[in-house]
Amino acid sequence: MKRAEFIMITTYLLYLVLGAFAGVLAGLLGIGGGLVIVPMLNFAFELQGFPEVHIQHVALGTSLATIIFTSLSSMRAHHKRGAIDWTAFWRLAPGIILGTYLGAWIASILSTMVLKAVFGIFLYYVATQMLFGKKTEGTREMPGTVGIFGAGNVIGIFSAIVGIGGGTLTVPFLSWCSQTMHRSIATAAAVGLPIALSGTAGYIINGTGVENIPGPHIGYVYIPALLGIIATSMLTAPFGAKLAHSLPVDKLKRIFAILLYAVGTKMLWSAFL
């Protein structure tokens, strides 16, 4: 077997494994899997010899495209348990849709180095919150129309720039607004759908016409990675949602935080090489 063929087969298998892992995380932690998908796609694209200038943009766009499917599967599983706050979902959705599309446009004009650095720093933030952040037990109500629209904007913009389903931002916000942890996770899983839809549209539109993106692709979405990841992630997301109601989620987040520190360091290192 030639080296090129071996790398191709290996990376396609990696997409399947990555999808399975991301699906479990989507249901279990309400994070959409993007925190894992983006750095792993970086690794896979480097193996395939993608142009450095496009690696992070394609990783972000493809990650958001996969989250369309994982969030649908996870959302359905949480809805069956009656755990989603649909009122909060519909109030957040308009601001999130606009913010995510805007975030995709911002990302399209930033360099791969800057995007990798932002992603690495964001992983440090998320890991620190998981390890040392105080458990929020809010006694506040949801903000008014302007406040909730602004919150949705912020969640959407940062979700698009780092290619995630927004759970790492939505969960603490909802907890701050007096939601239980399980309800916050379930609602965040649902919120991942408008984030993924709007963000994917943004990366497709802003990536259309860009030269030297390896194919087959649609804008900044790489089709083989998308298909491989969703093939397994949709199967494992309901399993993750089931685990979320039976496992100590807080302890699992602390373990996951250590992995995020390692991945964040790798992203920052590659950004400044």
Side-chain angles (χ1 to χ4, degrees):
M1 182 183 297
K2 295 181 180 179
R3 183 175 182 274
E5 293 176 344
F6 175 77
I7 290 176
M8 181 181 69
I9 293 173
T10 302
T11 51
Y12 287 176
L13 289 175
L14 177 62
Y15 296 147
L16 293 173
V17 174
L18 176 56
F21 189 35
V24 172
L25 290 177
L28 179 61
L29 303 179
I31 63 173
L35 290 174
V36 174
I37 291 174
V38 172
M40 290 303 291
L41 285 179
N42 263 274
F43 174 71
F45 293 160
E46 288 172 0
L47 280 179
Q48 291 179 266
F50 277 30
E52 177 68 22
V53 68
H54 296 315
I55 284 180
Q56 187 70 1
H57 298 86
V58 178
L60 294 171
T62 305
S63 173
L64 285 167
T66 66
I67 293 170
I68 293 174
F69 301 92
T70 55
S71 62
L72 276 171
S73 183
S74 179
M75 179 172 61
R76 184 167 56 250
H78 282 295
H79 177 64
K80 287 180 179 179
R81 294 174 176 269
I84 298 173
D85 184 338
W86 287 108
T87 299
F89 171 86
W90 288 113
R91 292 190 65 200
L92 278 168
I96 277 177
I97 290 170
L98 178 61
T100 310
Y101 187 84
L102 178 60
W105 173 77
I106 293 172
S108 72
I109 63 177
L110 297 176
S111 69
T112 283
M113 184 190 76
V114 171
L115 289 172
K116 281 187 175 182
V118 170
F119 188 85
I121 293 170
F122 184 74
L123 289 186
Y124 271 44
Y125 161 75
V126 173
T128 302
Q129 285 295 105
M130 286 183 175
L131 283 177
F132 306 111
K134 294 181 180 180
K135 187 175 180 180
T136 306
E137 295 180 354
T139 57
R140 309 160 186 82
E141 295 182 356
M142 295 284 284
T145 302
V146 175
I148 200 75
F149 186 81
N153 268 195
V154 172
I155 292 171
I157 289 171
F158 279 97
S159 296
I161 291 175
V162 295
I164 64 171
T168 51
L169 300 172
T170 308
V171 169
F173 172 73
L174 292 174
S175 297
W176 183 79
C177 295
S178 306
Q179 298 276 13
T180 65
M181 181 56 67
H182 283 157
R183 197 160 181 81
S184 296
I185 289 174
T187 306
V191 167
L193 181 59
I195 287 175
L197 288 169
S198 182
T200 300
Y203 276 101
I204 287 176
I205 291 170
N206 288 290
T208 300
V210 176
E211 297 181 353
N212 299 321
I213 299 177
H217 69 95
I218 303 174
Y220 283 123
V221 177
Y222 184 59
I223 303 302
L226 170 63
L227 295 178
I229 291 171
I230 64 175
T232 49
S233 63
M234 291 189 70
L235 297 176
T236 57
F239 176 66
K242 182 179 180 180
L243 291 178
H245 295 269
S246 59
L247 294 179
V249 174
D250 289 343
K251 291 183 179 179
L252 290 173
K253 284 189 174 182
R254 293 189 185 99
I255 296 172
F256 187 58
I258 298 173
L259 173 63
L260 294 185
Y261 276 126
V263 175
T265 301
K266 170 66 169 62
M267 293 293 287
L268 287 171
W269 179 263
S270 64
F272 294 108
L273 277 180

